[in-house]
Amino acid sequence: MNTMSMNQDQLYKALVASGGVKEDLFNKAAQTKEANEIGIDGVLVASGVLRDEEVGQLIAAWYDIPFVNLRQKDIDFKTALLIPESFARTHELLPIKQTEEDIIVATSSPDDVLERTTLEKYLRKQVKFSYATPKDLRSHMHLFQTDPKEAFKMIVDRSASGDIGADTRTIELVSKIIDYAYQGGASDIHIEPEDKYTIVRYRQDGILHDIAELPVSLHENIMTRLKVLARLAIDEHRTAQDGKIVYKTPWGDDVEIRISILPTTHAEKAVMRLLSDQSHAYAISDLGFSAQDYNKVSDVIHKPWGSILVTGPTGSGKTTTLYAVLRILNQREVNITTIEDPVEFDIEGVNQIQVNEKTGLTFAKGLRSIVRQDPDIIMVGEIRDKETASIAVNAAMTGHLVLSTLHTNDSATAFVRLTDMGVEDFLLASTINIVIAQRLVRKICMSCIQSRAMDKLQEQLILRVPHVKQYFDELVGKEKTLKSLLTFHGKGCAVCHGTGFYGRIGIFEVLVVDDKIREAIMEKKNADEIHSIALENGMTSMLYDGLRKVLIGQTTLEEVLRVTKE
C-alpha cells in the first residue's frame, strides 16, 4: 500500500493524530528504507502494526469520505467499464455504482481535483469519491479483462489474414499470454503440447484452469520466443532447461518469471511461475490467523533465539508466512541472512543467498558459512537432510533465531521428522519455539457471496469426519442442529471469473512448545500423542480452524476438507 497523493505530514495527521498509530511506530516506519518504495503506511501494514483495511479506514476518515472495501462490495461490472482501463490503472480508481444523478468512484487519491473534473466531463455525471486502498484497487483491475480465448484467437486470425507476420504474431501472443495471467492474478502459466493443439492453462487460487487451445503449429515458435526471453539455448530440445524472465507489463509493473522447459512425448512443455512485488507483500495479520493463534505467533517471533518452523506440502504458503515474519523482524539493528532455493523475492535490508548445486553451494554448506557471518536471524528455505537439520538446530541453540520449513502433514510430525534426520531429542526440546502447520483454502468471493442451509451432502461429509460434529458443537453450541446452520458459497461473477472464489486464506495449526510438549519429546512420544497433548494445551487443529472460517463465511466446507484430506 502506498498513498502517493498524501505527503508525510498529511499521513501523520490521518494515522497518528487520529489515535490509530503510536507516534514512535510511525517515526520508526518513516526511517526505514522501504518507506521510499512502499510508503510509510505500507511499512506499517507489512510490519503488522495495522491491517491494510484499517489504514484505509483512517485515511478515509481524515478525508471525511466513505471507506469502501472492494472485496466486500457488490460492484456494478458495467459501471466499472464506463472508463478506459488505461485511465483507471494510471489514476488507481474504479467506478463502482451509478444512479441517475451521480457515479460513485473508488479512488486512492480523493483530493485530486483535476481527476474528478476529468471524470465528470467524460462521464457527464457528478462524481462522488469513496476511498479504497491502492492494494484493493490494483487487485480489481482484472475487471477490464476481456476473454483471453478471444484475444488469442484475434492474434492468430490477424496472422492468417496477412495483417501481421509470423514473428510479430508470436511476440504478441506470448505477451498476451503473460499479460492476461498477471492481470487475472494467476500464479503459474502452463503451456502444454497435445496431438492436435497446444493448451494454455492458468493456476488461479491454487487451481489449474484451461484457458485456451492454440494451433499446434504455433507451439515451436512460442517455445523459441520463451527461450529467447529467458536467454536459454533455442537449439536444445532434448534436455530440461530452467531460466528467468524479467517482464514489464503494459501497465509498468515489473514481473519476475521463473520458467521451466521440459521435453515431453509430444513436444516441449513450459511452466512459468509469476513472481510480482504485489504477490508477496503480505502482513502477518493478512494471512488468516485467528486472534488466538496470531497472539501466539506474535509472542514467539520476538524471542532472541530458538527456531520457528512452518510445515505443510508444496504450495501451502510456507514461504509467504516466513516472509511475513521476516518483514516484522527486518530492523536495521539486526543482521538477517537467508539461504533459499530459489530466492523468490528480494527483501531490502536482508542478505539473501541462492542455493547453487553446480558450484557446491548447498543448504548445509551455505548455512555453515552463514553462521560465521555474525547473523542474528537466519532463514533456511527448507530443512531437507541430516546435515542441514543439525546445523540449523545448533545455530538455534547458540543464540540465533532460525526460521525454516519442513514438509510434514501436521505440526506434531515435525519433531518425528527431525528425529528421523538424526537430531537428538533434547536438542529439539530445547531449541524449537513454535511449529506452524498450514494449508491454503480458496476464499468465497465477497462480490457474489450467498448463504444457504446446510444440505444433505454437507451433513454426510461432516458426520463421516472424526471430531467434526464435536467441533461444530463447540463453535455454535450443542443446541443447534446441523440442519439449522447456514453455509456460504459464491454464485460466480465478473470479479471471481465465475468461480465463486477470489483469493486464498490460510488455515493453521499453531503448536507452541511448552514444558509438557518438551517432556513428551524427551520421552520419545509419537506424533499422535504429541498432537493430543497440544490440543489439551489449547492448540486448535487445522480442521477446527477451517470450520471456523466456514461458519463465518470465508470459505466452504468442501474447500476445507479438500486441503486437509479428511
Side-chain angles (χ1 to χ4, degrees):
M1 180 177 181
N2 189 359
T3 46
M4 298 299 291
S5 64
M6 300 183 76
N7 59 39
Q8 184 168 331
D9 183 56
Q10 290 173 323
L11 197 59
Y12 178 91
K13 291 176 181 177
L15 301 183
V16 180
S18 64
V21 179
K22 292 182 179 179
E23 185 173 6
D24 60 331
L25 293 175
F26 182 91
N27 292 334
K28 190 173 183 180
Q31 293 167 6
T32 62
K33 289 184 178 181
E34 282 189 310
N36 293 325
E37 180 185 348
I38 62 175
I40 298 171
D41 50 328
V43 175
L44 291 169
V45 171
S47 59
V49 176
L50 288 173
R51 290 185 293 110
D52 188 66
E53 184 176 344
E54 290 172 332
V55 173
Q57 290 169 341
L58 290 168
I59 292 174
W62 185 78
Y63 279 121
D64 195 23
I65 61 173
F67 170 75
V68 59
N69 183 338
L70 297 178
R71 289 179 178 268
Q72 298 178 2
K73 180 75 175 178
D74 189 5
I75 300 171
D76 184 347
F77 179 60
K78 292 181 180 179
T79 300
L81 300 182
L82 288 176
I83 63 171
E85 178 184 1
S86 57
F87 188 87
R89 285 185 177 276
T90 301
H91 297 276
E92 280 192 348
L93 53 81
L94 193 68
I96 57 176
K97 187 178 181 181
Q98 67 172 322
T99 65
E100 292 184 3
E101 297 81 24
D102 53 43
I103 290 184
I104 308 297
V105 176
T107 178
S108 61
S109 53
D111 58 347
D112 192 328
V113 178
L114 179 61
E115 187 177 280
R116 185 194 297 268
T117 304
T118 304
L119 279 171
E120 289 182 337
K121 286 182 178 179
Y122 185 83
L123 298 170
R124 298 182 180 181
K125 280 189 177 182
Q126 182 182 358
V127 168
K128 291 185 177 179
F129 280 154
S130 291
Y131 185 83
T133 68
K135 180 180 178 181
D136 205 3
L137 286 163
R138 284 194 296 267
S139 69
H140 280 76
M141 289 300 160
H142 70 271
L143 289 172
F144 292 97
Q145 188 179 43
T146 55
D147 184 356
K149 187 183 297 184
E150 294 299 320
F152 301 160
K153 184 176 183 298
M154 191 179 299
I155 295 172
V156 174
D157 290 345
R158 284 173 58 208
S159 175
S161 64
D163 291 345
I164 56 174
D167 290 343
T168 303
R169 172 198 62 196
T170 304
I171 292 170
E172 284 191 16
L173 194 55
V174 169
S175 295
K176 283 293 182 186
I177 289 171
I178 297 173
D179 289 342
Y180 273 86
Y182 176 74
Q183 192 175 4
S187 60
D188 300 86
I189 304 170
H190 290 233
I191 300 178
E192 303 176 356
E194 297 289 346
D195 282 331
K196 298 179 180 179
Y197 46 76
T198 289
I199 302 176
V200 178
R201 309 174 79 194
Y202 292 162
R203 186 179 296 279
Q204 293 170 313
D205 295 332
I207 305 295
L208 270 174
H209 300 277
D210 289 358
I211 300 300
E213 295 177 359
L214 302 175
V216 72
S217 58
L218 302 179
H219 187 82
E220 188 174 343
N221 288 342
I222 291 172
M223 290 296 113
T224 300
R225 174 60 181 167
L226 291 174
K227 289 176 182 178
V228 169
L229 290 173
R231 298 183 179 181
L232 301 176
I234 61 174
D235 57 346
E236 180 57 71
H237 305 284
R238 295 173 296 177
T239 63
Q241 296 192 74
D242 298 321
K244 183 175 76 172
I245 299 171
V246 179
Y247 182 79
K248 185 175 283 293
T249 71
W251 316 286
D253 298 330
D254 290 323
V255 185
E256 186 175 300
I257 301 171
R258 284 208 320 264
I259 182 170
S260 171
I261 296 178
L262 192 68
T264 71
T265 53
H266 293 289
E268 291 175 301
K269 173 188 173 180
V271 176
M272 291 175 276
R273 167 67 58 87
L274 277 60
L275 305 171
S276 70
D277 290 337
Q278 299 172 22
S279 62
H280 78 289
Y282 285 101
I284 198 167
S285 57
D286 294 330
L287 301 180
F289 286 106
S290 66
Q292 178 186 355
D293 287 343
Y294 178 81
N295 290 333
K296 289 179 182 178
V297 175
S298 298
D299 289 343
V300 167
I301 61 177
H302 292 293
K303 289 189 176 182
W305 63 275
S307 59
I308 298 170
L309 300 179
V310 183
T311 74
T314 301
S316 59
K318 300 187 297 297
T319 302
T320 300
T321 298
L322 287 184
Y323 274 39
V325 171
L326 280 182
R327 278 183 169 272
I328 296 175
L329 299 174
N330 187 15
Q331 307 294 333
R332 294 307 301 166
E333 58 267 24
V334 296
N335 176 17
I336 302 177
T337 305
T338 76
I339 181 162
E340 306 168 62
D341 183 23
V343 174
E344 294 196 8
F345 304 106
D346 293 328
I347 307 176
E348 191 170 357
V350 175
N351 308 293
Q352 295 173 274
I353 300 169
Q354 167 76 54
V355 166
N356 189 335
E357 299 284 352
K358 293 180 181 177
T359 62
L361 182 57
T362 62
F363 273 118
K365 289 183 179 179
L367 184 54
R368 198 181 296 278
S369 298
I370 288 172
V371 175
R372 304 190 191 104
Q373 291 276 313
D374 187 33
D376 299 293
I377 299 166
I378 302 169
M379 187 186 101
V380 184
E382 182 186 346
I383 295 177
R384 296 177 179 173
D385 52 55
K386 178 179 179 179
E387 189 178 3
T388 306
S390 176
I391 301 169
V393 169
N394 277 284
M397 186 175 61
T398 54
H400 305 90
L401 182 62
V402 179
L403 286 67
S404 192
T405 70
L406 274 174
H407 281 95
T408 63
N409 289 328
D410 59 27
S411 53
T413 310
F415 305 107
V416 178
R417 179 88 175 92
L418 289 170
T419 301
D420 290 343
M421 289 183 184
V423 181
E424 296 290 344
D425 297 325
F426 72 91
L427 289 176
L428 295 179
S430 59
T431 58
I432 297 178
N433 296 333
I434 195 169
V435 182
I436 304 168
Q438 67 179 74
R439 301 288 190 277
L440 290 175
V441 294
R442 291 181 293 171
K443 293 169 64 178
I444 297 172
C445 175
M446 290 298 150
S447 295
C448 61
I449 188 171
Q450 291 182 334
S451 63
R452 62 186 176 191
M454 188 170 290
D455 57 36
K456 288 185 177 180
L457 177 59
Q458 290 174 321
E459 285 184 52
Q460 291 171 358
L461 286 172
I462 289 170
L463 295 173
R464 282 178 56 191
V465 180
H467 310 303
V468 173
K469 180 64 169 65
Q470 174 191 337
Y471 291 155
F472 268 95
D473 289 343
E474 292 174 0
L475 288 165
V476 302
K478 292 184 179 181
E479 68 279 1
K480 286 193 175 183
T481 63
L482 292 179
K483 292 181 179 179
S484 67
L485 292 177
L486 289 177
T487 58
F488 301 87
H489 72 287
K491 67 177 181 180
C493 65
V495 172
C496 61
H497 307 285
T499 64
F501 295 98
Y502 185 59
R504 289 190 289 176
I505 193 169
I507 58 173
F508 298 93
E509 184 175 89
V510 179
L511 191 159
V512 177
V513 180
D514 56 18
D515 290 339
K516 289 185 177 180
I517 297 296
R518 291 190 186 96
E519 185 180 334
I521 296 170
M522 294 294 290
E523 292 176 357
K524 300 184 184 297
K525 292 187 182 294
N526 61 39
D528 289 339
E529 291 173 312
I530 294 174
H531 194 265
S532 297
I533 294 170
L535 291 174
E536 290 173 5
N537 289 354
M539 182 185 80
T540 54
S541 68
M542 274 188 290
L543 185 57
Y544 188 98
D545 190 41
L547 293 176
R548 184 159 45 195
K549 290 178 169 70
V550 169
L551 290 177
I552 63 176
Q554 288 186 314
T555 189
T556 65
L557 178 63
E558 291 81 1
E559 269 295 290
V560 172
L561 297 181
R562 176 180 69 84
V563 301
T564 56
K565 297 294 189 292
E566 294 287 354

